[in-house]
Amino acid sequence: MTVQTLDTGRDIEQFAAKAEQWLTTAVPARWKNERGSMTSHEMDELRREWDFILWEGGYSGLSIPKEYGGRGLGLAEEIIFHVLAGSAQAPDGLARVGKSLVTPMLIKSGSEHQRATYIPSIMNGNDVWCQGFSEPEAGSDMANIQTRARRVEGGYLLTGTKTWTSFAQHARRCFVLAQTQPEAGRYRNLSMLLVDMRAPGVSISDIRQISGAVHFAETRFDNVFVADDDRVGDDGDGWGVAMRVLGDERGGIETAARYVEIRSDVDALIAVLGDDPRYADRLRDLDIRTELVRWQLAKIADLETAGDEVRLARAGAVLKLMWSELWQDVTRLGVINAPMADHRHWTYQYLESRAVTIYGGSSEIQRNILSERVLGLPR
């Protein structure tokens, strides 16, 4: 993506030049040079450090309004920065869920009190957030969740279990989808609640992945009090709020963050396998597909600037499929063919990537969405 493709009326070229210069010295050398041999705990510590570095450098929340601690720029700058960060082999911060999911949710659906209370601490890296959607018995049917929030004076008592809770071990807060009106019809019985992970009644059990990492947890809520002020939208509006969150999870900013890691991995493969003609075609294919993700991000930035919401939604619908299946192909080549010196990194990346075609909407679900909602094919 070149900055000339983005007609925003802002000085994109100057922004890109400054960001690129800043990244040359800001990215921790240890992350670039030792990532292949670092433990999961060491990687998490550097990712948390990166959140603070971004804040201090003025590159946190580029598209977030200034009154909430962001830069007040646009999606174009957000995507450009992530592309440049990918080229600079920057890490992905632990505050990603808060920045890419919680903040847009609160701007679109939250109260002014919620925006003023929570967004600044997300921007500066102080608060990590996690997402409480998936449940042990609900499968992919999110409307069938069983976590209940019973009405009490001043709020709710939340009871239930969430699983695959990303970053729960690090999180200060969790946004939780729960039933608040069991008697109401399907889709009208849910509310979105903002839950303090240190509140009495919250307990966390690590879920150790096959890679050895612990990014997820099972999170239990036993009569956890949630104040009315921490409900996003009206009682019963949870399904609509959740659908907007899932749109953001599959959209431009989230994909830009993923591009950072994929671009870094592809460059690493080119560095060690690029001179071997046996891998030329596969490396060329992976490099082109990676740049197609970047091209699609540029297209989305242009559509956002033009205010074309319909085409923007359609363009974003393909992103989850593009990056998730690409990353699996990248890590498959790496784990089989990269030098033994990098074995730990590629084993970790390969095992991590196995889940990306499932969470956030499986590839099968994404293809259904594309066929029915974008292409208009019959169900």
Side-chain angles (χ1 to χ4, degrees), residues 96-97 128-131 163-169 171 215-217:
R96 176 170 55 83
V97 170
V128 174
W129 284 69
C130 58
Q131 179 179 1
T163 194
W164 308 116
T165 317
S166 302
F167 306 124
Q169 300 86 347
H215 293 322
F216 307 105

Side-chain angles (χ1 to χ4, degrees), residues 63-176:
S63 59
I64 304 304
K66 290 182 179 180
E67 59 265 35
Y68 304 123
R71 286 280 301 276
L73 301 174
L75 182 60
E77 286 89 351
E78 195 87 60
I79 290 175
I80 284 173
F81 180 78
H82 279 88
V83 168
L84 293 172
S87 299
Q89 300 184 52
D92 183 18
L94 287 182
R96 176 170 55 83
V97 170
K99 292 178 182 178
S100 62
L101 301 183
V102 179
T103 298
M105 176 183 71
L106 294 181
I107 290 175
K108 296 172 186 175
S109 308
S111 67
E112 188 58 40
H113 168 76
Q114 290 166 350
R115 290 189 284 268
T117 300
Y118 298 125
I119 294 178
S121 62
I122 293 173
M123 293 298 101
N124 63 26
N126 282 329
D127 284 351
V128 174
W129 284 69
C130 58
Q131 179 179 1
F133 282 15
S134 300
E135 294 188 6
E137 304 299 327
S140 61
D141 184 6
M142 196 168 67
N144 192 39
I145 63 170
Q146 298 302 305
T147 297
R148 302 289 180 90
R150 178 170 56 88
R151 257 288 182 200
V152 295
E153 184 178 356
Y156 303 86
L157 288 180
L158 180 67
T159 299
T161 301
K162 298 291 183 178
T163 194
W164 308 116
T165 317
S166 302
F167 306 124
Q169 300 86 347
H170 308 283
R172 179 67 175 83
R173 289 194 170 265
C174 182
F175 60 109
V176 176

Side-chain angles (χ1 to χ4, degrees), residues 277-306:
R278 292 176 299 172
Y279 305 111
D281 288 343
R282 293 177 69 184
L283 288 173
R284 186 180 303 110
D285 174 71
L286 295 175
D287 188 47
I288 290 172
R289 288 167 62 192
T290 302
E291 291 311 290
L292 282 174
V293 172
R294 186 166 68 118
W295 177 84
Q296 188 73 357
L297 287 169
K299 179 180 178 181
I300 284 174
D302 285 339
L303 291 172
E304 187 260 352
T305 300

